[in-house]
């Protein structure tokens, strides 16, 4: 983040100029009609792709509910659409995330869990770090008995360039507490999300 690294944010004009340079580098003329407004559009897309730098996931997870009638079973949110960009090529990572936690005393609104996925995804990422960040922030703020996060995604830097292996799905998981220590708990979660993928839904 700019503020944490003490970096100065470039101006919009500087960002657009950088895109013009890349167009020239690719071999085209940024002044021709079809490309004239492209730098503007690219910079605007970047604002959307990397929107996650301006939000704090832990702040969002602070809003919890404690009136749970003693509910202490697994809460699972599966098939959360995931759109991110790899930090090595800045190309899309598209997939889905599955999150589970076992509450201790507090629960959080499910939309907040999806929002946390978005905030971390809308930064430059590697899938391993993204998975751990989501799990760790839930663990830190909710202090549940356990947290599990599984991400399945395809990486365009692998399908459209380099080794050109389309269709390869990368799966990562991060287990904390009960999910790490208790094999049956972990299995229950994995069974739930596997039966979900058998039922369809695309990546
Ligand atoms: Zn990459």
């Amino acid at each position: 983040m700019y503020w944490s690294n003490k970096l100065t944010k470039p101006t919009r004009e500087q960002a657009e100029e950088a895109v013009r340079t890349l167009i020239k580098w690719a071999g085209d003329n940024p002044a021709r009609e079809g490309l004239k407004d492209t730098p503007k559009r690219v910079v605007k897309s970047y604002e959307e792709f990397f929107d996650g730098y301006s939000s704090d996931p832990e702040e969002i997870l602070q809003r919890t509910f404690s009136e749970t009638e003693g509910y202490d079973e697994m809460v699972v949110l599966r098939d959360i659409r995931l759109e991110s960009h790899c930090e090595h090529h800045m190309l899309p990572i598209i997939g889905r995330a599955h999150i589970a936690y076992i509450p201790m005393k507090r629960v959080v609104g499910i939309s907040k869990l999806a929002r946390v996925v978005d905030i971390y995804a809308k930064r430059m990422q590697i899938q391993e770090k993204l998975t751990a960040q989501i799990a760790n922030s839930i663990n830190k703020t909710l202090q549940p008995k356990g947290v599990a996060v599984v991400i399945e995604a395809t990486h365009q830097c692998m399908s459209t360039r380099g080794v050109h292996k389309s269709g390869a799905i990368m799966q990562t998981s991060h287990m904390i507490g009960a999910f790490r220590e208790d094999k049956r708990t972990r299995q229950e979660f994995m069974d739930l999300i596997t039966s979900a993928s058998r039922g369809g839904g695309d990546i």
Side-chain angles (χ1 to χ4, degrees), residues 1-11 14 53 124:
M1 271 173 266
Y2 292 119
W3 49 92
S4 60
N5 293 336
K6 295 194 168 52
L7 296 174
T8 319
K9 185 167 180 155
T11 64
Q14 284 173 322
Y53 288 108
M124 295 190 196

Side-chain angles (χ1 to χ4, degrees), residues 21 48 172 175 193 202:
T21 304
E48 226 179 283
T172 45
M175 307 283 166
I193 62 171
D202 41 21

Side-chain angles (χ1 to χ4, degrees), residues 86 88-89 157:
C86 81
H88 299 139
H89 306 93
C157 62

Side-chain angles (χ1 to χ4, degrees), residues 85-93 125-126 155-158 161:
H85 285 80
C86 81
E87 65 184 26
H88 299 139
H89 306 93
M90 292 162 67
L91 286 172
I93 301 171
Q125 279 291 5
I126 61 167
H155 292 238
Q156 281 195 15
C157 62
M158 206 181 148
R161 55 161 294 288

Side-chain angles (χ1 to χ4, degrees), residues 73-106:
E73 296 294 323
M74 195 183 294
V75 177
V76 183
L77 186 62
R78 64 190 191 199
D79 295 311
I80 308 163
R81 166 84 177 175
L82 177 104
E83 296 172 3
S84 189
H85 285 80
C86 81
E87 65 184 26
H88 299 139
H89 306 93
M90 292 162 67
L91 286 172
I93 301 171
I94 305 288
R96 53 191 173 183
H98 313 282
I99 298 176
Y101 72 101
I102 302 170
M104 186 78 96
K105 283 191 180 75
R106 296 185 295 170

Side-chain angles (χ1 to χ4, degrees), residues 6-196:
K6 295 194 168 52
L7 296 174
T8 319
K9 185 167 180 155
T11 64
R12 180 172 287 268
E13 288 68 36
Q14 284 173 322
E16 288 175 10
E17 192 49 42
V19 178
R20 245 170 253 123
T21 304
L22 284 176
I23 292 173
K24 281 188 259 182
W25 168 254
D28 215 318
N29 173 12
R32 75 173 170 85
E33 208 200 334
L35 288 172
K36 211 163 43 76
D37 292 327
T38 299
K40 233 184 224 112
R41 292 191 202 97
V42 171
V43 168
K44 207 158 174 243
S45 302
Y46 265 49
E47 283 182 320
E48 226 179 283
F49 295 159
F50 303 111
D51 183 40
Y53 288 108
S54 52
S55 307
D56 180 2
E58 286 174 16
E59 197 186 303
I60 279 160
L61 288 170
Q62 291 303 339
R63 279 161 261 156
T64 56
F65 309 100
S66 51
E67 283 179 24
T68 60
E69 297 284 337
Y71 183 89
D72 60 357
E73 296 294 323
M74 195 183 294
V75 177
V76 183
L77 186 62
R78 64 190 191 199
D79 295 311
I80 308 163
R81 166 84 177 175
L82 177 104
E83 296 172 3
S84 189
H85 285 80
C86 81
E87 65 184 26
H88 299 139
H89 306 93
M90 292 162 67
L91 286 172
I93 301 171
I94 305 288
R96 53 191 173 183
H98 313 282
I99 298 176
Y101 72 101
I102 302 170
M104 186 78 96
K105 283 191 180 75
R106 296 185 295 170
V107 294
V108 71
I110 48 167
S111 67
K112 303 285 187 296
L113 294 177
R115 182 87 185 95
V116 167
V117 171
D118 272 350
I119 293 172
Y120 283 120
K122 290 189 180 302
R123 297 178 183 183
M124 295 190 196
Q125 279 291 5
I126 61 167
Q127 191 176 321
E128 295 87 335
K129 185 172 75 179
L130 175 61
T131 311
Q133 282 177 329
I134 295 167
N136 289 334
S137 65
I138 295 168
N139 189 46
K140 195 175 154 196
T141 46
L142 287 183
Q143 298 182 328
K145 291 189 188 123
V147 185
V149 176
V150 167
I151 292 179
E152 304 163 279
T154 56
H155 292 238
Q156 281 195 15
C157 62
M158 206 181 148
S159 57
T160 64
R161 55 161 294 288
V163 289
H164 293 276
K165 290 285 174 275
S166 65
I169 296 168
M170 179 167 169
Q171 183 167 337
T172 45
S173 63
H174 196 87
M175 307 283 166
I176 299 174
F179 291 93
R180 184 180 282 259
E181 286 139 27
D182 186 344
K183 226 167 109 182
R184 278 181 316 178
T185 304
R186 187 166 58 240
Q187 198 53 52
E188 189 186 335
F189 170 62
M190 294 309 281
D191 288 348
L192 276 168
I193 62 171
T194 317
S195 67

